[in-house]
Amino acid sequence: MADTTDVINPAKISEVVGRVRMATEADVDHALDQAQAAFQTWSRTTPEERASRLCDAARDLRSALPELTRLFVRENGKPLREAEIDIRRSIELTEIVAKDLPQWSKPELIEPDQPVWARRRARGVAAVISPWNSPVLLSFKRFIPAIGAGNTAVVKPATYCPLTLVRCVEIINRHLPSGVLQALIGSGAVAGEKLASDKRVRTIAFTGSTETGRRIMELASRSVKKVFLELGGNDPAIVSSDAKLDEDAIARMTHGILRASGQVCVAIKRIYVHHSRLNELVEKLARSFDRVVVGNGLIPETTMGPLNNRAQFDFVTGLIDRCTQKGLVVMTKGRKLFPPAWNEGFFVLPSIVLGAGEDDELVRCEQFGPVIPVVPFVNEHDAIERANNTPYGLRASVWTADRHRAEALADQIEAGAVFLNDHGIFSNLHIEFPGIKQSGFSRESRWAALDHYTDTYGFAE
Ligand code: NAD
């Protein structure tokens, strides 16, 4: 008999949001058979037909937005506003891909004299494996271009919060032939490994930790799959001596650190500040952290929800304890929305840590929680060296009033994207830059994402 697992509300751990059946290897096998069979007909549909089906799906998802948002808050913990942004962006992405499809799929004349055309062909079954911190948007970013380009897809979200994604897939499936898109809930060890190693999977898109990414790459190599990896990060923010630390800048910095309780691959995870501005920055950041209201994401007053799961809660609280034991200064700020229910959820108040050095665990690891080390530097060369002293290279930010200085710093920071006086996401969904170093590689912006799920072949007249 297959195992089941309970999906828990992280703001009230006694509440089971849903009980799900864990996929066995046989379930994955069956799903891949279905996906392979569906590919035969789906890959022959026109881009216009696929676009039209995706538009219909997006319309239904829009009507279900309030229901999806609330479910997402209950299983993930994010405050309502942040959860809604994730779902909205997933829907927008579906619409954008639908709009792009007819133009993108046109053959391209690459040599007029002979002439030679570049034509695209869908690859087959795509597997999408996603993490718990942002399971909806990060899955949509992969499977929507995959099925839009004519592939079929099997999606495996993490088991901590799979329900909203599964509900979205049900809604989308009202508009797709059977087998084109399937969601499977299962463990990494069973369902994940099977997807990464099965020969029928031609493309694998993984978002998650660097450690798992390595394993997936290894398994995928056996059948030479096309691999897409978006992995962990330890984003630095460098605050220069001339940084403008007004209220807006501090609000943007706070958001860059504490969005989704810090459980964001592209959150600020280390701050290096010019020593002349250390006290001012810490004072202002502490004041801003003090305005954070930690509670159940369903209550509108909440500005920061709980951590998502027990393992993450134990890791982050343990990390903070170890900082205190080492004698680092831990400044804990913020307000508990409802103190009597504090221990009923995985709640953690935000903290600023002073006195940490390069070798300290908090500076080296990906904390994925609301605790940030602030480390002073004397010269910028030293700050860059420390910022680059990590296996990761997702994003970074520079905080300065001097645009030229910002560009000079950005040129030296090893990151997929560098933000000036901000640290966040690109507001336009068309724009995305992949991580570098051990943060992975991928192109997920617009046509690049569609290209990823296709083979280009030449046609010479
Ligand atoms: P994780 O690597 O533990 O798990 C991610 C997914 O992989 C889950 O669905 C899990 O079940 C599956 N998995 C685990 N072991 C597997 C295996 N051996 N074979 C196949 N699949 C396996 O990561 P997580 O804890 O869910 O997520 C947090 C991590 O994800 C952080 O490191 C974070 O930075 C990273 N992340 C990266 C991005 C990005 O775009 N770069 C975005 C979000 C999260």
Side-chain angles (χ1 to χ4, degrees):
M1 221 178 77
D3 285 341
T4 58
T5 192
D6 288 344
V7 178
I8 301 297
N9 180 345
K12 191 168 188 249
I13 49 189
S14 57
E15 181 188 320
V16 175
V17 187
R19 177 160 296 164
V20 293
R21 185 178 167 280
M22 298 285 273
T24 60
E25 227 180 284
D27 294 324
V28 181
D29 215 38
H30 179 68
L32 291 176
D33 274 346
Q34 304 270 96
Q36 215 174 22
F39 179 70
Q40 301 310 320
T41 41
W42 182 246
S43 57
R44 293 200 198 103
T45 53
T46 62
E48 287 74 15
E49 177 181 344
R50 297 196 295 275
S52 148
R53 287 175 183 267
L54 288 181
C55 281
D56 291 345
R59 193 197 52 234
D60 281 8
L61 287 167
R62 245 179 224 294
S63 323
L65 183 65
E67 170 216 334
L68 292 168
T69 303
R70 289 185 75 78
L71 177 60
F72 192 34
V73 174
R74 285 177 63 221
E75 66 168 341
N76 179 278
K78 283 183 200 209
L80 275 168
R81 207 184 64 83
E82 287 182 19
E84 189 184 301
I85 290 174
D86 267 29
I87 312 272
R88 261 188 203 289
R89 283 176 78 93
S90 305
I91 299 169
E92 281 163 25
L93 183 113
T94 309
E95 292 163 345
I96 288 171
V97 169
K99 195 158 152 257
D100 278 352
L101 275 179
Q103 189 60 29
W104 163 81
S105 55
K106 288 204 165 71
E108 194 187 335
L109 185 62
I110 54 171
E111 170 52 67
D113 289 343
Q114 193 173 10
V116 182
W117 299 82
R119 299 174 64 88
R120 295 182 178 86
R121 181 162 49 210
R123 292 175 54 79
V125 181
V128 175
I129 301 181
S130 49
W132 48 261
N133 65 318
S134 195
V136 180
L137 182 58
L138 293 171
S139 300
F140 268 65
K141 277 184 162 187
R142 324 288 181 236
F143 76 72
I144 290 290
I147 61 175
N151 303 269
T152 54
V154 178
V155 190
K156 193 206 87 60
T159 47
Y160 291 124
C161 55
L163 302 174
T164 316
L165 177 72
V166 169
R167 182 76 192 115
C168 289
V169 167
E170 279 167 11
I171 293 173
I172 297 171
N173 271 335
R174 292 178 195 153
H175 304 280
L176 297 179
S178 162
V180 170
L181 175 64
Q182 299 170 81
L184 277 181
I185 301 169
S187 71
V190 177
E193 296 238 343
K194 172 79 178 152
L195 287 170
S197 49
D198 195 284
K199 277 205 284 260
R200 286 165 291 184
V201 173
R202 297 282 324 280
T203 313
I204 184 149
F206 171 76
T207 315
S209 64
T210 298
E211 194 188 347
T212 309
R214 264 188 220 110
R215 174 73 180 148
I216 291 203
M217 212 169 163
E218 186 188 315
L219 293 171
S221 72
R222 297 178 195 168
S223 52
V224 196
K225 298 185 198 319
K226 202 166 177 183
V227 180
F228 176 117
L229 299 178
E230 275 293 355
L231 308 176
N234 192 1
D235 291 8
I238 297 181
V239 182
S240 291
S241 54
D242 68 344
K244 190 174 167 200
L245 297 176
D246 60 8
E247 215 169 292
D248 279 356
I250 294 294
R252 288 193 298 275
M253 194 181 286
T254 302
H255 186 66
I257 302 165
L258 297 182
R259 183 161 53 96
S261 312
Q263 302 166 113
V264 181
C265 53
V266 293
I268 301 176
K269 298 194 174 120
R270 302 171 281 158
I271 298 179
Y272 295 108
V273 54
H274 190 265
H275 68 101
S276 63
R277 308 295 299 279
L278 174 70
N279 291 345
E280 181 193 352
L281 176 72
V282 170
E283 198 183 296
K284 289 180 171 171
L285 209 53
R287 231 180 290 141
S288 173
F289 273 32
D290 231 5
R291 286 194 288 270
V292 172
V293 180
V294 184
N296 187 326
L298 285 176
I299 301 171
E301 216 184 325
T302 294
T303 59
M304 193 176 95
L307 295 181
N308 173 258
N309 56 72
R310 165 73 62 195
Q312 194 58 27
F313 176 79
D314 287 348
F315 174 68
V316 172
T317 50
L319 185 59
I320 297 171
D321 287 348
R322 289 190 290 282
C323 287
T324 310
Q325 282 155 18
K326 254 204 101 177
L328 307 183
V329 178
V330 178
M331 302 168 67
T332 301
K333 298 287 165 185
R335 175 161 74 84
K336 300 176 180 177
L337 178 61
F338 190 52
W342 188 252
N343 292 326
E344 291 174 15
F346 299 130
F347 298 113
V348 178
L349 288 169
S351 298
I352 297 167
V353 175
L354 302 177
E358 279 311 285
D359 291 333
D360 275 303
E361 187 187 7
L362 179 61
V363 174
R364 300 194 70 79
C365 78
E366 185 184 23
Q367 66 270 51
F368 233 53
V371 49
I372 185 82
V374 180
V375 182
F377 67 85
V378 176
N379 67 64
E380 273 171 3
H381 177 72
D382 178 41
I384 298 278
E385 254 184 28
R386 294 200 217 174
N388 290 340
N389 182 22
T390 170
Y392 300 113
L394 221 44
R395 287 196 184 152
S397 52
V398 291
W399 301 72
T400 167
D402 179 346
R403 170 67 199 261
H404 294 294
R405 184 183 213 158
E407 285 178 9
L409 286 169
D411 280 347
Q412 300 170 74
I413 300 177
E414 296 163 353
V418 181
F419 284 73
L420 171 58
N421 299 325
D422 200 353
H423 195 114
I425 51 169
F426 296 101
S427 52
N428 188 330
L429 268 170
H430 296 167
I431 299 166
E432 202 44 90
F433 288 88
I436 59 171
K437 293 162 79 177
Q438 293 185 31
S439 288
F441 47 82
S442 59
R443 290 311 300 237
E444 54 180 300
S445 60
R446 218 160 168 186
W447 287 23
L450 286 159
D451 285 344
H452 184 78
Y453 299 97
T454 42
D455 291 323
T456 306
Y457 68 97
F459 177 73
E461 284 181 31

